């Protein structure tokens, strides 16, 4: 298999060549060319080479990008950590993935949950690119694990999806085909670097093409406007970001002008409401395109750059990816392309993950006998093959701000609060976040309800701030059916 990052391999082999001077990464006022990235990442790769697995403290910084590139050069699987993860979430990820060390920016303060791990500081000023042992070493096998990305299920703690090098290479090349994505593109985004969207598409994507990325550190419409005005050609974001852009556009002509210049505006991780599509198109003359993916599958479908941009659809299967809809039984294929018949999306192809780490049960349950991955997303297909996602099989999965969050993990965290006797968590529509997390609480003592803010902090401290309930309702009892199961649909309509 060819190297994951040909431009980087070239810069490693020829530090003085023209390619080495091309820009690769920029975070604020710090940037690296391919030559500098090679000079920085190669010694780090040599340092971590041979380690079983390494954790990366996934701040939205140059250090995180360098650390992941170094891990990939070394052929060592990296586990990106959400730096805002709370103690129990981090504790779970560290004990499950058992990294030998954690790579972090020198100024990063690491929490006690990582205290037992050896720390390796990421020095982005390292130099000495010549004659490094990494240069010229054969690329690891395509099937070898590249990343372990933790993702929530309906119940229990997050599972580590093991993503092989082959999946990263093929998904990025399929997107290059769909989006006419080349080394001349300059991507701008402000996505977090511990998920597939921001890390694989948003950092590794430009590096595979030999192009560059400018990361905003944190998402702000002003940063988007500035970078698109100053030469960026593509924007990636979750729907919440495009919603905030749509809200800002009427009062921000510079933002409208900047978006109008972009070659491609891409949204993903959740559905972008048609209203936001329309508002952006009206103000800028440009249509946002959507692509559909998942931590376990990387990218499955997309509206193509040379196709018809159709709001409300996630486009057509990417090259090499088989997509089918199935009936309720999960095995009978739905043949209809009528825009009406709903089925579960199942996918098969080189873009898929290998397994959930340490969870053979969950891995087996996720696939059909003939190797189709069950996404749990429900969709219809238009006559020309465009896929339109219409819902999700599990009501206990919430997508908020583009983050997937399991109701069960929040319920478990809430139940650890002494003031909570019973807890149920649902998602309800939210114009900004897509869905907001709602907690339904039966207090331990009806006279003293734990305040909503305290419960939110409690969840944020244990799990992560984006998993905190935004709304708390207090009940005397949760509605249950004859079997004692909580009737969430009844709650949501209370
Ligand atoms: C608030 N904060 C708190 C608390 N309340 N911290 C601790 N305790 C609390 N009680 C802090 C937050 O940490 C944050 O800090 C700030 O207050 C604002 O929080 P919040 O309102 O939650 O965030 P936001 O500014 O509204 O964020 C919106 C966002 C974000 C930027 C759109 O949701 C986001 O980055 N989403 C991207 C998700 C994503 O990448 N998904 C990809 C996975 P501070 O101000 O310091 O930040 S899906 C995927 O990968 C698949 C493959 C796909 O298809 O893409
Ligand atoms: P995650 O597991 O966090 O990677 O989230 C994957 C899920 O995000 C998918 O199963 C879908 O439910 C959802 N998703 C991703 N992209 C889109 C999109 N463009 N439209 C609707 N849902 C999406």
């Amino acid at each position: 298999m060819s190297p994951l990052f040909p431009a980087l391999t070239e810069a490693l082999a020829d530090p003085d060549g023209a390619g080495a001077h091309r820009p690769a990464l920029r975070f604020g006022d710090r940037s690296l060319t391919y030559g500098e990235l090679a000079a920085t990442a190669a010694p780090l790769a040599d340092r971590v080479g041979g380690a079983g697995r390494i954790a990366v403290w996934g701040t939205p910084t140059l250090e995180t990008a360098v650390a992941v590139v170094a891990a990939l050069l070394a052929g060592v699987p990296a586990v990106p950590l959400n730096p805002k993860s709370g103690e129990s979430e981090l504790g779970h990820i560290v004990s499950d993935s058992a990294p030998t060390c954690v790579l972090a920016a020198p100024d990063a303060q690491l929490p006690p949950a990582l205290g037992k791990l050896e720390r390796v500081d990421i020095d982005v000023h390292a130099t000495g690119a010549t004659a490094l042992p990494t240069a010229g070493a054969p690329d690891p096998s395509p099937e070898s694990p590249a990343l372990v990305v933790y993702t929530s299920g309906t119940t229990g703690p997050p599972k580590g999806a093991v993503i092989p090098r082959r999946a990263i290479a093929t998904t990025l090349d399929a997107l290059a085909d769909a989006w006419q994505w080349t080394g001349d593109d300059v991507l701008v985004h402000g996505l977090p670097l511990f998920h597939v969207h921001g890390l694989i598409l948003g950092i590794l994507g430009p590096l595979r093409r030999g192009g560059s990325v400018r990361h905003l550190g944190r998402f702000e419409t002003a940063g988007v406007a500035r970078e698109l005005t100053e030469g960026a050609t593509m924007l990636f974001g979750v729907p919440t970001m495009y919603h905030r852009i749509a809200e800002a556009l009427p009062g921000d002509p510079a933002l409208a002008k900047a978006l109008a210049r972009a070659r491609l505006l891409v949204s993903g991780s959740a559905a972008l409401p048609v209203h936001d599509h329309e508002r952006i198109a009206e103000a800028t003359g440009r249509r946002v395109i959507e692509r559909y993916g998942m931590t376990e599958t990387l990218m499955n479908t997309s509206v193509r750059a040379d196709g018809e941009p159709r709001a409300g659809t996630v486009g057509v299967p990417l090259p090499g990816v088989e997509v089918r809809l199935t009936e309720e039984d999960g095995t009978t294929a739905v043949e209809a392309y009528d825009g009406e018949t709903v089925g579960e999306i199942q996918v098969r192809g080189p873009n898929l993950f290998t397994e959930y780490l340490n969870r053979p049960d969950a891995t087996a349950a996720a696939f059909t006998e003939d190797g189709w991955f069950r996404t749990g997303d429900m969709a219809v297909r238009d006559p020309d093959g465009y896929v339109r996602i219409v819902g999700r099989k599990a009501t206990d999965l919430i997508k908020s701000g583009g983050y997937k969050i399991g109701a069960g993990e929040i319920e478990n965290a809430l139940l650890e609060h002494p003031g909570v006797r019973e807890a149920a968590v649902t998602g309800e529509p939210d114009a900004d976040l897509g869905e907001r997390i709602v907690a339904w609480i039966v207090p331990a003592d009806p006279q003293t309800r734990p305040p909503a803010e305290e419960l939110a902090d409690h969840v944020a401290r244990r799990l992560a701030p984006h998993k905190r309930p935004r709304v708390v309702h207090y009940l005397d009892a949760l509605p249950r059916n004859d079997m004692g199961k909580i009737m969430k649909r009844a709650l949501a309509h209370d």
Side-chain angles (χ1 to χ4, degrees):
M1 193 176 178
S2 57
L4 262 184
F5 308 116
L8 196 62
T9 307
E10 201 185 302
L12 271 169
D14 183 8
D16 298 320
H21 298 291
R22 286 176 63 87
L25 303 168
R26 195 168 94 191
F27 286 71
D29 54 9
R30 298 196 306 154
S31 60
L32 294 176
T33 61
Y34 277 90
E36 290 164 340
L37 176 59
T40 301
L44 193 55
D46 289 333
R47 165 83 175 73
V48 299
R53 255 193 294 272
I54 59 169
V56 176
W57 190 241
T59 49
T61 59
L62 197 53
E63 278 81 0
T64 299
V66 167
V68 172
V69 168
L72 289 165
L73 284 179
V76 172
V79 186
L81 303 174
N82 175 355
K84 294 209 182 101
S85 278
E87 60 212 61
S88 72
E89 186 162 290
L90 264 185
H92 162 71
I93 293 174
V94 168
S95 71
D96 189 51
S97 61
T100 52
C101 61
V102 54
L103 272 58
D107 61 350
Q109 288 239 353
L110 300 184
L114 302 181
K116 291 211 176 84
L117 288 180
E118 184 197 352
R119 172 178 183 149
V120 176
D121 280 340
I122 307 155
D123 177 8
V124 294
H125 305 293
T127 51
T130 47
L132 285 159
T134 319
D139 237 39
S141 134
E143 287 309 313
S144 64
L147 293 168
V148 181
V149 179
Y150 277 80
T151 181
S152 292
T154 52
T155 55
K159 303 188 285 281
V162 179
I163 299 171
R165 301 173 79 87
R166 163 264 295 159
I168 295 177
T170 56
T171 219
L172 292 175
D173 293 351
L175 292 178
D177 177 84
W179 297 344
Q180 296 164 5
W181 188 359
T182 72
D184 291 333
D185 279 303
V186 178
L187 172 66
V188 57
H189 71 88
L191 291 155
L193 299 188
F194 46 85
H195 276 309
V196 165
H197 193 168
L199 182 60
I200 298 187
L201 272 59
I203 299 290
L204 305 184
L207 295 182
R208 183 155 173 86
R209 299 273 72 80
S212 71
V213 52
R214 301 181 191 165
H215 194 283
L216 298 172
R218 64 179 298 147
F219 173 80
E220 269 166 353
T221 55
V224 170
R226 184 186 65 240
E227 297 305 337
L228 289 174
T229 304
E230 293 174 8
T233 61
M234 298 168 86
L235 170 67
F236 290 176
V238 295
T240 300
M241 295 170 180
Y242 283 103
H243 174 78
R244 292 180 186 178
I245 286 173
E247 291 281 290
L249 278 170
D252 191 346
L255 178 63
K257 214 167 143 196
L259 288 167
R261 296 167 54 118
R263 189 179 75 73
L264 213 60
L265 308 171
V266 187
S267 173
S269 304
L272 181 64
V274 172
H275 178 57
D276 288 332
H277 268 288
E278 298 304 339
R279 290 196 294 172
I280 294 171
E282 238 164 68
T284 69
R286 302 306 307 274
R287 295 223 158 247
V288 178
I289 64 167
E290 285 192 72
R291 94 294 181 286
Y292 160 60
M294 206 171 168
T295 304
E296 292 89 333
T297 67
L298 306 189
M299 294 303 117
N300 298 314
T301 72
S302 183
V303 172
R304 297 181 56 91
D306 56 4
E308 184 205 338
R310 201 177 302 163
T313 92
V314 293
V316 295
L318 288 166
V321 182
E322 289 179 86
V323 175
R324 70 173 188 180
L325 301 185
T326 60
E327 291 177 11
E328 193 67 38
D329 63 7
T331 51
T332 312
V334 170
E335 301 300 339
Y337 282 79
D338 57 3
E340 273 178 25
T341 312
V342 178
E344 180 190 357
I345 304 177
Q346 296 189 348
V347 293
R348 210 161 57 169
N351 53 318
L352 262 55
F353 75 138
T354 323
E355 58 170 346
Y356 294 115
L357 193 66
N358 305 322
R359 293 293 308 275
D361 55 328
T363 306
F367 288 91
T368 67
E369 268 174 23
D370 42 359
W372 292 91
F373 176 77
R374 310 170 198 272
T375 66
D377 292 309
M378 307 300 289
V380 300
R381 274 175 313 206
D382 288 346
D384 55 4
Y386 272 54
V387 176
R388 208 177 277 273
I389 297 177
V390 296
R392 233 182 347 250
K393 233 176 165 177
T395 49
D396 276 348
L397 280 180
I398 300 162
K399 265 267 157 165
S400 189
Y403 287 112
K404 184 191 263 184
I405 303 159
E409 56 180 329
I410 308 176
E411 289 160 1
N412 290 337
L414 287 168
L415 287 169
E416 284 173 23
H417 188 285
V420 175
R421 177 185 303 155
E422 289 185 83
V425 166
T426 58
E428 67 183 26
D430 185 283
D432 181 46
L433 296 170
E435 287 182 287
R436 61 176 160 263
I437 297 169
V438 180
W440 307 78
I441 297 296
V442 179
D445 172 2
Q447 309 307 322
T448 50
R449 298 170 161 184
E453 204 176 308
E454 187 178 312
L455 293 174
D457 289 346
H458 171 88
V459 173
R461 250 193 335 268
R462 273 173 176 64
L463 304 179
H466 67 264
K467 297 184 178 177
R468 71 191 189 278
R470 310 274 173 152
V471 181
V472 178
H473 296 294
Y474 301 89
L475 302 173
D476 295 333
L478 295 178
R480 292 182 185 272
N481 65 15
D482 292 345
M483 311 288 288
K485 194 171 179 290
I486 300 168
M487 295 192 295
K488 293 215 173 163
R489 291 192 196 275
L491 274 177
H493 295 105
D494 262 8

